[in-house]
Amino acid sequence: MKNVSLCIDIAFCAIVLPAMAIIFPVERWFHYFPWYVTTVGIWLYALYFANRLITVPMLFKHGKKRAGALALIVISFGITYYLSQITLYDPKPSVFDTGITRVLPNIQQYQQAVWSLFMIVEVFSFAVGLLTQANLQKSRRRAVEAERDRAEIELYKAQIKPHFMFNTLNSLYGLFLTHDGKALESLEKFISMMRYIHTASLRDHVPLADEADYISRYVELQSLRLNGMTAVTLDIDIRDNALPVPPMLLVTFVENCFKHGVSPIEKSDINISLKEKDGYLRFSTSNRIFPVKRIGEHMGIENCRRRLRLLYPDRHSLEIKDNGIRYDVKLNINLQP
């Protein structure tokens, strides 16, 4: 926007104002009254930039600054009136006078020129100034909204980490409590995953391949504590491994499968699918529901909903079906910028 405003300023000062001025006999006036033409020219250019850089920005302020802007406008009219009242000559009346001079016989042509050019400068400078300030205000609002969204996303990311740790440590505790032989293997996988969480949480995006690998390790970790009653299917098909995705976004839905879809005495199945083609991510989970009440059980899903709305407001669709028997999630994201 700054470059556009600069181009408009140059165009007005170098083309528009001189083109408007040559409508009047400026060369003849400059020949006889160079000091007057030079003074008026300097005043018009100074007025243009004063309006653009001082008066118009002050109009967007409040209180004394806005009053100051109105005072500057009044002063500019006063200076222009003073310049127009300077007597250069007293032309003899002529019956052949035509045009504006004839319609306004008491106003000399140089006075008409001063007021005409003043109004052109005033209108043009205010139009450009108002447009510039409106765009600046819009940019500031966007910056504030972007900063607010970024802070909100960081909050959700910070909430996911302890939420995940609580649920995974709870699973590890169960393995060690029962002296399960898979406990040490599970602990090693958990430590490896925590390294990823620590590094990924410091970034806004990670490669899709890294997030998919993390989901695979998470499924392996959770599967270690399962008996033969639960069948887990994981299908990952990624074409572009480098596509950026928000860290720790999809795993929340995977975690939900193991939290509510596992029973030690009843048969169940968990199906997880992660596919990407041509920049479009298609993710789905499906599991049977075994009701269980846990602290913050809805926090992860709601965080994901909010993060998706903030990160991909017009580029995602999330469909969740819960009929009390099965819980199905379908998420589509256009990862192309």
Side-chain angles (χ1 to χ4, degrees):
M1 186 62 200
K2 290 183 178 180
N3 293 333
V4 175
S5 299
L6 179 61
C7 292
I8 294 176
D9 293 339
I10 294 174
F12 178 79
C13 295
I15 301 175
V16 177
L17 187 58
M20 295 296 100
I22 61 175
I23 295 176
F24 302 93
V26 176
E27 293 183 2
R28 176 165 60 85
W29 293 338
F30 186 79
H31 178 74
Y32 291 104
F33 314 104
W35 63 271
Y36 183 79
V37 175
T38 302
T39 301
V40 172
I42 293 174
W43 162 241
L44 292 175
Y45 280 111
L47 176 66
Y48 176 82
F49 286 103
N51 285 340
R52 281 271 290 105
L53 303 177
I54 301 175
T55 305
V56 175
M58 288 175 64
L59 285 174
F60 280 78
K61 307 296 182 180
H62 299 283
K64 293 182 179 180
K65 289 189 176 181
R66 181 173 293 180
L70 297 176
L72 289 175
I73 296 174
V74 174
I75 291 173
S76 67
F77 273 89
I79 294 175
T80 304
Y81 176 79
Y82 172 78
L83 290 174
S84 68
Q85 292 304 303
I86 296 176
T87 302
L88 299 181
Y89 58 88
D90 294 318
K92 296 179 180 180
S94 173
V95 295
F96 299 103
D97 286 345
T98 59
I100 298 177
T101 306
R102 186 174 181 181
V103 175
L104 303 172
N106 294 326
I107 300 178
Q108 306 303 328
Q109 193 174 26
Y110 70 88
Q111 294 173 322
Q112 298 170 15
V114 170
W115 280 109
S116 298
L117 294 175
F118 168 78
M119 294 307 300
I120 291 172
V121 170
E122 196 80 352
V123 171
F124 201 92
S125 62
F126 268 83
V128 176
L130 290 172
L131 179 62
T132 302
Q133 289 301 312
N135 278 279
L136 286 174
Q137 296 288 334
K138 189 175 181 180
S139 298
R140 291 190 185 112
R141 284 196 299 270
R142 286 178 177 175
V144 170
E145 291 172 358
E147 183 63 23
R148 181 198 62 200
D149 292 347
R150 188 191 67 80
E152 193 170 350
I153 290 171
E154 291 299 322
L155 174 62
Y156 297 148
K157 285 166 62 178
Q159 290 175 338
I160 286 174
K161 189 188 298 185
H163 184 66
F164 162 79
M165 290 178 61
F166 173 81
N167 288 286
T168 307
L169 286 173
N170 189 49
S171 299
L172 288 174
Y173 174 75
L175 292 176
F176 279 99
L177 192 64
T178 57
H179 303 285
D180 194 304
K182 303 174 183 177
L184 287 178
E185 183 183 356
S186 299
L187 181 59
E188 290 176 358
K189 290 183 179 295
F190 175 71
I191 293 173
S192 175
M193 293 170 65
M194 287 307 300
R195 291 195 189 99
Y196 174 79
I197 293 175
H198 175 69
T199 57
S201 63
L202 301 177
R203 302 165 61 183
D204 293 329
H205 294 86
V206 296
L208 179 57
D210 291 354
E211 190 72 3
D213 182 60
Y214 174 76
I215 291 174
S216 297
R217 284 183 287 167
Y218 180 85
V219 172
E220 291 175 5
L221 172 63
Q222 294 296 331
S223 298
L224 289 175
R225 67 181 179 89
L226 300 179
N227 55 27
M229 304 302 293
T230 304
V232 180
T233 302
L234 176 62
D235 182 16
I236 296 180
D237 182 12
I238 297 174
R239 306 292 178 87
D240 188 351
N241 292 328
L243 275 174
V245 295
M248 303 295 294
L249 178 68
L250 304 179
V251 73
T252 303
F253 298 104
V254 178
E255 177 191 15
N256 191 70
C257 293
F258 289 94
K259 185 166 60 175
H260 298 285
V262 174
S263 172
I265 57 175
E266 294 186 47
K267 286 187 174 296
S268 63
D269 62 286
I270 295 175
N271 301 297
I272 303 167
S273 175
L274 173 59
K275 298 183 179 181
E276 178 275 326
K277 183 179 180 181
D278 299 329
Y280 287 88
L281 176 69
R282 293 174 175 83
F283 174 78
S284 64
T285 65
S286 178
N287 60 275
R288 187 179 169 186
I289 299 175
F290 298 98
V292 57
K293 293 292 182 180
R294 296 186 182 179
I295 298 174
E297 63 176 295
H298 300 297
M299 183 183 68
I301 300 296
E302 288 306 312
N303 280 357
C304 286
R305 287 184 186 272
R306 296 188 183 102
R307 286 181 72 191
L308 286 167
R309 283 197 293 264
L310 291 171
L311 293 168
Y312 306 102
D314 302 317
R315 292 191 287 144
H316 87 280
S317 63
L318 175 62
E319 182 182 355
I320 298 179
K321 294 182 179 180
D322 181 0
N323 60 7
I325 300 175
R326 296 199 65 84
Y327 193 88
D328 299 311
V329 175
K330 291 184 179 180
L331 172 62
N332 296 320
I333 305 176
N334 178 8
L335 298 177
Q336 297 175 331

